[in-house]
Amino acid sequence: MAQQTARADTTADDTDKPDRAVVRDALGVGVAVGLSGFAFGVTSAGSGLGLLQTCVLSLLVFTGASQFALVGALAAGGSPFTAAAGAFFLGVRNAFYGLRLSHLLALPRAVRPLAAQWVIDETTAVTLAQPTRRARRIGFTVTGLTLYVLWNLTTLLGALGAKAIGDTRAWGLDAAGPAVFLALLAPMLRTATERAVAGLAVLLGLGLLPVLPAGAPVLVAALAAPIALVTEGPRVGRGRRAAGAAEGTRGADGPTKPKEDR
């Protein structure tokens, strides 16, 4: 009985995560990525957008990659329609995040439209890393709230102090968001297939970056998943057939039942 109790306690420790640990992780992500709103504010002001336009983008769009794609295309001389199209296609990934998170979070219908505003890379990564529904809800809420408040505040400060801050690349603010996202993603790549998908996505994204418009390389990189699965399918099928054949052989050659005692 004592051994069973010890095993039960060990299992509980493996599956349960203290609320404080979830809040700590969520705050770390929210603060680290939220500070990169400085970079967007500076970049947006440098591309010709006004203070109000910059702040409205962060308030309503609230997806850093799409916002940077929009102002980057405008700064490069692209038309507003082309810039908006690139930002839109880059933001399509959030719809797929929402499909996954709707099942994991199971939020009330009245809350879902508000929660949809916070469905982005960072909240998705924090949510998927949690073991229970309670932890997922806490992680999603704390990350979303922290990031939304900080992102909009630092966007305002960046736009106001664009001239004083200068080149954001010298501060490294433009790399804060991607660096945090990669740090969250890396521990989740446990199998060879997952690592192959990630590696192929990196190759596709970086290889097509010089030739495709802003936002498009990220969408093309999503093709890494079906490519890897198609490649993995025949190998898995052969493995299962081999395992089935081995099981059948063991069943045929296995020991027979002993004769009943007379």
Side-chain angles (χ1 to χ4, degrees):
M1 179 65 70
Q3 293 178 350
Q4 293 177 351
T5 303
R7 285 196 298 268
D9 292 340
T10 302
T11 303
D13 291 339
D14 291 340
T15 56
D16 294 338
K17 187 174 182 180
D19 293 348
R20 288 180 298 178
V22 179
V23 172
R24 180 195 61 213
D25 295 344
L27 284 175
V29 174
V31 171
V33 180
L35 293 178
S36 62
F38 279 113
F40 172 71
V42 174
T43 305
S44 179
S47 68
L49 294 182
L51 177 64
L52 180 60
Q53 293 172 317
T54 299
C55 292
V56 168
L57 270 177
S58 284
L59 286 168
L60 300 183
V61 178
F62 187 55
T63 169
S66 296
Q67 293 177 234
F68 275 111
L70 176 65
V71 298
L74 292 176
S79 69
F81 295 103
T82 303
F88 171 79
F89 284 116
L90 186 57
V92 166
R93 71 193 189 283
N94 293 335
F96 296 99
Y97 293 161
L99 293 175
R100 177 61 174 156
L101 293 186
S102 65
H103 173 70
L104 294 176
L105 297 174
L107 297 173
R109 291 185 178 274
V111 180
R112 291 179 186 177
L114 299 176
Q117 178 70 354
W118 290 353
V119 176
I120 54 176
D121 296 330
E122 291 76 20
T123 55
T124 301
V126 172
T127 302
L128 293 178
Q130 308 311 318
T132 63
R133 176 165 292 172
R134 173 182 173 83
R136 292 178 191 126
R137 288 180 172 180
I138 294 174
F140 177 84
T141 303
V142 174
T143 306
L145 179 60
T146 305
L147 186 51
Y148 189 78
V149 172
L150 274 180
W151 179 267
N152 282 281
L153 177 60
T154 54
T155 294
L156 173 62
L157 295 177
L160 289 174
K163 294 183 179 179
I165 293 175
D167 188 4
T168 57
R169 290 175 295 182
W171 296 81
L173 296 176
D174 55 331
V180 172
F181 183 69
L182 290 177
L184 289 168
L185 179 64
M188 301 174 68
L189 304 176
R190 299 185 179 93
T191 67
T193 301
E194 291 172 347
R195 289 191 289 269
V197 170
L200 182 57
V202 170
L203 291 177
L204 288 174
L206 294 180
L208 297 174
L209 190 61
V211 296
L212 293 180
V218 175
L219 298 178
V220 176
L223 295 176
I227 292 174
L229 291 177
V230 168
T231 305
E232 183 76 3
R235 189 179 68 83
V236 173
R238 288 194 298 271
R240 289 179 178 174
R241 288 194 295 270
E247 183 68 25
T249 302
R250 287 195 297 270
D253 299 338
T256 57
K257 292 182 179 180
K259 294 182 179 179
E260 296 180 358
D261 294 336
R262 289 186 177 86

